[in-house]
């Protein structure tokens, strides 16, 4: 059955794999599932045709026959449940991997998003310079805890799972901030994820959108076009 996902026609990161279709692409590559990508403009994302697929007018979405899904975590979970390689067979190990999926999206990503939102939309506020270090420290709390738990293990719970896939994509959002680099084992963990052949294929796929002649994006979008991060 043909799978179709949606992604940005133009992304503010110009192909660094930070938009959330990257998670879905990576999961599908790990699962060995071919997929089509429908690229959307910011305008098209808010039109009825796309709102019928995604109530919030965002990417990514996932179409598989009559099934339409949105929310990157739910899509990754769906793919992981139906294909080998992303969730362990053992019931308890599977439950722990799913726990890490939730931890990535519900516990580690929110403080990272708070800082990104502040940088994108609050830069002109008088209190911005005071607030930024507070937000960075909230991230450090979570990274420090995560770093302690990971220790020198390769993955969060024995074998690579969808929990690691989501956690790596969440942590990648910090690259270049200097914060991730304060935790060498987390930096190495992210690098381990990025070194996976499936990750590389997914990354190349999303980058190609921005480097092929027909869709070349020569003008960086204003960050405010990134309504949500
Ligand atoms: N919780 C949803 C999910 O996980 O699927 C969130 C989906 C979401 O935020 N989608 C964003 C979107 O469609 C794209 S990923 N935004 C447009 C809108 O809301 O109108 C967020 C994102 C976009 C671009 C970068 N970047 O270029 O660096 C990083 C993150």
């Amino acid at each position: 059955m043909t799978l179709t996902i949606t992604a940005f026609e133009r992304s503010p990161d110009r192909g660094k794999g930070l938009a959330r279709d990257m998670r879905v692409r990576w999961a599908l590559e790990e699962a060995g599932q071919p997929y089509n990508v429908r690229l959307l403009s910011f305008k098209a994302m808010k039109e009825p045709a796309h709102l019928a697929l995604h109530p919030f007018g965002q990417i990514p979405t996932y179409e598989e026959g009559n099934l339409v899904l949105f929310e990157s975590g739910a899509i990754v979970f769906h793919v992981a449940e139906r294909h080998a390689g992303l969730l362990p067979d053992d019931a308890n190990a599977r439950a722990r991997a799913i726990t890490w999926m939730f931890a990535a999206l519900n516990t580690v990503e929110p403080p990272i998003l708070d800082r990104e939102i502040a940088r994108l939309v609050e830069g002109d506020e008088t209190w911005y310079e005071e607030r930024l270090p507070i937000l960075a420290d909230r991230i450090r709390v979570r990274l420090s805890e995560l770093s302690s738990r990971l220790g020198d293990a390769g993955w969060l719970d024995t074998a690579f799972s969808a929990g690691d896939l989501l956690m790596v994509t969440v942590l990648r959002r910090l690259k270049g901030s200097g914060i991730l680099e304060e935790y060498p084992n987390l930096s190495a963990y992210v690098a381990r994820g990025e070194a996976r052949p499936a990750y590389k294929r997914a990354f190349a796929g999303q980058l190609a959108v921005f480097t092929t002649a027909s869709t070349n994006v020569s003008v960086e979008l204003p960050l405010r076009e990134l309504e949500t991060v």
Side-chain angles (χ1 to χ4, degrees), residues 8 11-14 18-20 23 42 45-46 54 56-60 70-73 116 173 225-229:
F8 282 144
S11 182
D13 75 348
R14 292 194 286 182
L18 296 175
R20 288 183 176 90
R23 301 166 177 181
F42 280 86
M45 284 193 296
K46 307 301 174 192
H54 195 310
F56 309 118
Q58 298 182 314
I59 60 99
F70 58 94
E71 284 298 330
S72 57
E116 284 184 22
R173 303 183 73 143
E225 285 205 32
L226 227 181
E227 283 175 28
T228 58
V229 291

